[in-house]
DNA sequence: GCAAGGTC
């Protein structure tokens, strides 16, 4: 201890008890340290002697537990009916110490009175700076003569803490101001909108949530609403998805060395005819030539060091733990000293962290101890300094194990799992990446390109310890350029585009993280709030769907044209907060402009409250209504769902007011029939369709908007959604459906071929777009009188026609009106029962325009041979009885597409020209 | 009874 002068007493205050203990232990080096109780049982006081720049000090180190103060309206504005919610934008607010923090306040006051200095050891972020000023407020009231200093530190490491106390700085008012502004804006917006929408809607509708209606709070918050927005947006995306059938050619080759599966370079085509033409070319000349063999070394890298969000996402993915539960368990492991502080944004270890020492501790573990030993053995070459994830909160290191445990007796399964994850993650991120050798073989069949990839794992490295990740190896036979072979299978397979899945908790955390919604310590709270408020539910796969209540609220604000449910508001606020923390704007400036804007927005929203009411009315019964009206609210029964066979299909209006018939089993069952966008009224009648099965299918009385349908259609129409109704189908093609995304110009999203394979079981019919059957057994083809293709065309072109190659009847030239082929000309046979169909451009130039993935380079001869063969379009599919269409997407043996015989291809089929 | 942010 360096001497000099009289000793002063220094009050040191940290943000939490653990930091107070660390700071005291590091500064005192464990020498002469005394611990005594404060008034709060959690916040001890550590005492020892120290010297700051030659000044002899008696150090007292204690802590708060986060914020000491809260912000709220003055009492007279706290009762909900005490004022107009709009007044909350100007109502006086006050900061006060809540009841449960009074004992900490008292400790600070008492200790401050006998101190000369106050040193603030709060976390070095904006919130920490704000808490520092709360502490300053309390302490300076008790002792006006305090000298106030701030310690700046980025890690609880001995050298860092000593440096910090020898180089004390001033507290940063700008940082604290930014938080003050944030708090006030959050409070005023949150309270005003929450009171407004709760009082407006709670009594107007029968909201069938688990809470007692009287106690139900329909809260609004600048974090919880955008979080809900993400969930609803994904839900709408799924709801509006219209499946689209596509086609792909798969090729495999088996030899003594094994099997190689070749993927088509075009991926997939949405145009069946094009696909079948190309397929036929390949089948006619099936010999494959190896054009290129490429070998590359590939690495799979271990994860970055573990931050809170990554811990939550990974625990959700690997163990199906909710983020809220994960944080609870992590907090307990931290309290017991097994892992480091669990609320951290940092995913980069400081150069001063002794990573080897952390790994050394794990050497004795029965399961991963041997890996830790190998890692620490320099001759293994396994060690690698961890990568830098690029985030640093300047307060805490990445989450890592701090104490060895072989498992404690009082741990639950989740404690074991989480500790194991933290340890394995740490060991993984100081390990070498996995190394693989990848071989890509490209082949050419009749001008079409295919490629197969094989991978051999050369070294698993970090994957040996990180059992949560895997990297598949697949051996393919050896090929050399120029080599020729006949494929073992060559199949034309169908698939259907699929909507994205519901948001998982990990997905949602990702969205929030990217949009800056919440902090690492609060994101899980916002997700839990959605569940607590009955805005969303979570299924057993950790996937989130909005409830009717959640969807209605978002829909209501969206209909007003406000993006209050989008993350933009929070981003704007965050931008302003940054300006305050940098001194570019003052707190008062930001408060004034932001609150002025928000108040205008609030008043406007209130004047548009009808939109909220209408959105709620889509889902909920009006409180005054009788039970008899209930079916109008949930939807009127139309038929039993033909897909899931469990739930009813009901007539409903979607969020844009458009009509649809959807399965009540949604989202488990996604069967939906979108009705033409031109429908203005629709009522289910007692009439039962006598051609659609399984029945009964109740018919619907439609009224169409005159200006939105062609003149030759009637405004009133008694229709059936079972597939028998030509008028309805034509109007759907002409007017489009009322699906949300199509209304907004979005389109279906094609999925990758792997997704297609796993999902193709639930393919949609390409004729009528309904789920539950394929085009080969589509009721609209079976019961209809005309080729399904011509049903989808709406225009006949100037009397041009050709003779049908199949039956000789006349095939008029028409113009397609489908989304993929709008405006494209085709000939189709008029004769009943004949399916002949051919694109005009394929007759003229032997190919030309093709599906979504670009054109083919086939010759005129080949495409004419399609016509000459007399089996166009769907006819070929029917003739082959679905043989080359793999309904399951599973690999099927190559077979002749004409007769279905697996022993030969079509080019040698005896029935080919019959 | 309302927000979001600390933390026990």
């Amino acid at each position: 201890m360096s001497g000099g002068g009289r000793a002063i007493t220094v009050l040191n205050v940290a943000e939490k008890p653990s930091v107070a203990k660390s700071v005291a232990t590091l500064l005192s080096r464990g020498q002469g340290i005394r611990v005594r109780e404060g008034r709060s049982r959690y916040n001890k006081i550590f005492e020892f002697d120290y010297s700051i720049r030659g000044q002899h000090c008696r150090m007292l180190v204690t802590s708060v537990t986060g914020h000491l103060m809260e912000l709220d309206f003055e009492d007279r504005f706290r009762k909900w009916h005490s004022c107009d919610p709009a007044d909350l934008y100007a109502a006086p607010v006050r900061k006060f110490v809540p009841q449960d923090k009074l004992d900490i306040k008292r400790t600070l006051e008492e200790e401050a009175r006998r101190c000369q200095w106050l040193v603030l050891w709060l976390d070095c972020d904006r919130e920490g700076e704000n808490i520092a000023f709360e502490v300053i407020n309390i302490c300076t009231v008790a002792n006006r003569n305090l000298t106030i200093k701030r310690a700046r530190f980025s890690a609880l490491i001995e050298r860092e803490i000593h440096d910090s106390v020898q180089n004390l700085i001033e507290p940063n008012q700008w940082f604290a101001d930014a938080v003050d502004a944030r708090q006030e804006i959050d409070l005023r917006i949150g309270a005003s909108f929450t009171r407004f929408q709760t009082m407006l809607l709670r009594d107007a509708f029968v909201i069938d949530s688990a809470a007692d209606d009287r106690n139900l709070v329909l809260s609004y918050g600048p974090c919880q609403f955008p979080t809900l927005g993400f969930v609803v947006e994904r839900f709408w995306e799924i709801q509006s998805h219209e499946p689209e059938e596509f086609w792909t050619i798969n090729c495999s080759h088996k030899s003594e060395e094994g099997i190689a599966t070749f993927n088509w370079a075009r991926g997939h085509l949405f145009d069946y005819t094009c696909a079948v033409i190309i397929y036929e070319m390949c089948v006619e000349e099936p010999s494959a030539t190896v054009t290129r063999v490429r070998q590359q070394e590939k690495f799979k890298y271990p994860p970055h060091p573990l931050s809170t969000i990554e811990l939550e996402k990974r625990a959700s993915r690997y163990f199906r733990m909710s983020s809220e539960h994960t944080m609870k368990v992590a907090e307990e492991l931290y309290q017991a000293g097994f892992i480091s502080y669990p609320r951290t944004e940092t995913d980069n270890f400081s150069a001063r962290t002794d990573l080897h020492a952390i790994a050394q501790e794990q050497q004795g573990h029965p399961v991963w101890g041997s890996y830790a030993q190998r890692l620490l053995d320099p001759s293994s070459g396994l060690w690698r300094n961890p990568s830098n994830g690029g985030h640093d909160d300047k307060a805490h290191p990445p989450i890592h194990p701090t104490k060895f445990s072989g498992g404690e007796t009082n741990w639950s399964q989740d404690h074991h799992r989480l500790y194991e994850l933290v340890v394995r993650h740490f060991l993984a991120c100081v390990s070498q990446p996995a190394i693989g050798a990848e071989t890509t073989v490209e082949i050419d069949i009749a001008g079409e390109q295919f490629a197969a990839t094989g991978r051999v794992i050369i070294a698993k490295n970090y994957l040996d310890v990180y059992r949560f990740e895997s990297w598949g190896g697949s051996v393919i036979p050896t090929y050399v350029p120029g080599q020729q072979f006949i494929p073992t299978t060559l199949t034309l397979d169908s698939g259907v585009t699929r909507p994205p899945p519901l948001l998982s908790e990990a997905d949602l955390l990702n969205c929030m993280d990217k949009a800056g919604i919440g902090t690492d310590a609060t994101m899980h709270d916002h997700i839990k709030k959605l569940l607590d408020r009955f805005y969303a539910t979570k299924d057993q796969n950790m996937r989130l769907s909005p409830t009717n209540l959640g969807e209605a609220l978002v829909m209501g604000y969206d209909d007003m044209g406000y993006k209050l449910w989008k993350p933009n508001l929070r981003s704007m606020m965050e931008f302003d907060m940054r300006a305050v923390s940098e001194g570019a704007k003052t707190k008062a400036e930001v408060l004034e402009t932001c609150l002025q804007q928000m108040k205008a927005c609030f008043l406007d929203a209130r004047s548009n409250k009808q939109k909220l009411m209408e959105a709620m009315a889509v889902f909920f019964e009006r409180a005054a209504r009788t039970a008899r009206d209930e079916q109008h609210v949930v939807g009127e029964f139309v038929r039993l769902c033909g897909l899931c066979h469990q739930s009813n299909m009901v007539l409903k209006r979607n969020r844009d007011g458009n009509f649809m018939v959807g399965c009540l089993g949604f989202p488990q069952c996604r069967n939906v029939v979108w009705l033409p966008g031109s429908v203005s009224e629709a009522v289910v009648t007692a009439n039962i369709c006598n051609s659609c099965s399984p029945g009964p299918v109740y018919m619907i009385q439609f009224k169409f908007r005159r200006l939105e349908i062609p003149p030759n259609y009637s405004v009133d129409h008694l229709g059936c959604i079972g597939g028998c109704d030509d008028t309805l189908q034509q109007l759907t093609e002409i007017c489009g459906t009322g699906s949300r995304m199509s209304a907004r110009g979005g389109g279906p999203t094609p999925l990758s071929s792997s997704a297609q394979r796993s999902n193709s079981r639930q393919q949609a019919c390409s004729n009528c777009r309904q789920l539950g059957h394929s085009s080969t057994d589509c009721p609209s083809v079976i019961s209809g009188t005309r080729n399904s293709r011509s049903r989808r065309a709406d225009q006949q072109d100037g009397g041009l026609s050709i003779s049908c190659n199949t039956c000789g009847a006349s095939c008029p030239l028409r113009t397609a009106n489908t989304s993929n082929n709008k405006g494209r000309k085709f000939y189709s046979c008029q004769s009943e029962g004949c399916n002949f169909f051919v694109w005009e451009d394929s007759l003229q130039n032997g190919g030309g325009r093709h599906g979504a993935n670009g054109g083919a380079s086939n010759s005129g001869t080949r495409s004419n041979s399609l016509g000459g063969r007399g089996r166009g379009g769907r006819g070929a599919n029917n003739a082959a009885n679905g043989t080359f269409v793999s309904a399951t997407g599973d690999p099927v043996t190559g077979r002749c597409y004409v007769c279905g015989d697996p022993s030969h291809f079509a080019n040698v089929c005896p029935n080919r020209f019959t």
Side-chain angles (χ1 to χ4, degrees), chain A residues 304-616:
Chain A
H304 297 308
L306 193 58
S307 65
T308 302
I309 295 167
E310 276 303 313
L311 176 74
E312 290 173 351
K313 288 199 295 201
R314 285 170 193 265
S316 170
R317 229 179 280 140
Y318 304 151
F319 315 131
R320 299 187 169 201
M321 283 168 67
S322 74
S323 50
E324 191 232 346
H325 183 58
T326 296
M327 289 313 289
K328 185 169 174 284
V329 174
E331 178 67 29
E332 285 163 9
L333 290 172
Y334 161 67
Q335 291 293 332
F338 293 106
I339 64 170
S340 63
Y341 189 68
R343 286 180 283 274
T344 175
E345 288 173 41
T346 312
D347 50 15
N348 172 33
F349 277 108
S350 145
R352 282 175 280 189
T353 310
D354 189 347
L355 300 170
H356 285 86
I358 300 171
Q360 265 157 18
E361 278 209 329
Q362 299 295 334
Q363 291 183 101
H365 195 277
V367 181
W368 55 75
S370 58
Y371 184 89
Q373 287 166 23
R374 196 149 61 87
L375 186 62
L376 290 162
D377 176 3
S379 68
S380 73
L382 189 52
W383 183 278
R384 163 182 161 275
N385 284 331
S387 56
N388 178 350
H391 301 91
D392 191 349
D393 63 15
K394 307 276 183 201
H396 307 287
I399 303 168
H400 62 274
T402 48
K403 188 161 76 178
F404 172 78
S405 175
E408 307 296 307
T409 49
N410 62 341
W411 280 6
S412 70
Q413 189 190 25
D414 289 341
H415 287 81
H416 284 281
R417 285 167 160 175
L418 217 58
Y419 182 73
E420 181 184 349
L421 172 59
V422 171
V423 174
R424 287 189 188 268
H425 194 102
F426 173 79
L427 295 174
C429 72
V430 291
S431 297
Q432 293 288 350
I435 308 168
E438 270 188 17
T439 305
T440 305
V441 179
E442 292 171 16
I443 59 167
D444 179 304
I445 303 175
E448 286 301 299
Q449 312 303 313
F450 299 81
T453 301
R455 184 190 300 130
V456 177
I457 309 296
I458 295 171
K460 284 184 76 179
N461 293 334
Y462 89 92
L463 289 173
D464 277 330
V465 72
Y466 207 57
R467 65 176 179 87
F468 316 108
E469 287 184 357
S470 62
W471 202 26
S474 58
V475 180
I476 59 170
T478 310
Y479 293 92
V480 291
Q483 179 184 342
Q484 292 199 323
F485 61 87
I486 299 292
T488 312
T489 68
L490 190 60
T491 56
L492 179 62
D493 295 325
S494 76
V496 65
T497 60
R498 300 276 302 165
L502 287 165
L503 273 191
S504 69
E505 191 157 352
D507 296 334
L508 183 55
L509 287 163
N510 240 353
C511 294
M512 296 169 74
D513 189 26
K514 282 193 188 133
I517 300 298
T519 68
D520 52 305
T522 62
M523 282 158 69
H524 65 271
D525 285 333
H526 300 310
I527 298 176
K528 184 166 182 291
K529 184 146 278 177
L530 300 189
L531 305 173
D532 291 346
R533 296 279 189 224
F534 310 107
Y535 289 169
T537 54
K538 192 158 67 173
D539 64 23
Q540 69 266 36
N541 295 320
M542 312 289 290
R543 296 196 176 270
L544 295 144
S545 326
T547 59
N548 286 341
L549 180 59
E551 189 180 353
L553 290 172
V554 171
M555 191 186 277
Y557 285 111
D558 193 46
D559 287 347
M560 289 179 201
Y562 282 128
K563 298 297 174 202
L564 288 170
W565 55 281
K566 291 266 194 181
N568 315 39
L569 175 66
R570 195 74 190 164
S571 308
M572 275 166 52
M573 280 170 60
E574 188 54 37
F575 188 79
D576 274 350
M577 296 310 109
R578 186 176 292 267
V580 174
S581 71
E582 288 166 353
K585 286 185 185 177
T586 66
K587 175 172 88 176
E589 243 176 283
V590 164
L591 276 175
E592 196 192 323
T593 54
C594 185
L595 290 175
Q596 198 180 13
Q597 286 169 11
M598 282 311 299
K599 186 178 180 184
C601 177
F602 175 83
L603 293 174
D604 207 40
R606 195 163 64 174
S607 67
N608 274 312
K609 67 183 177 192
Q610 198 51 36
K611 299 275 190 206
L612 256 183
M613 300 286 279
E614 283 166 12
M616 286 290 285

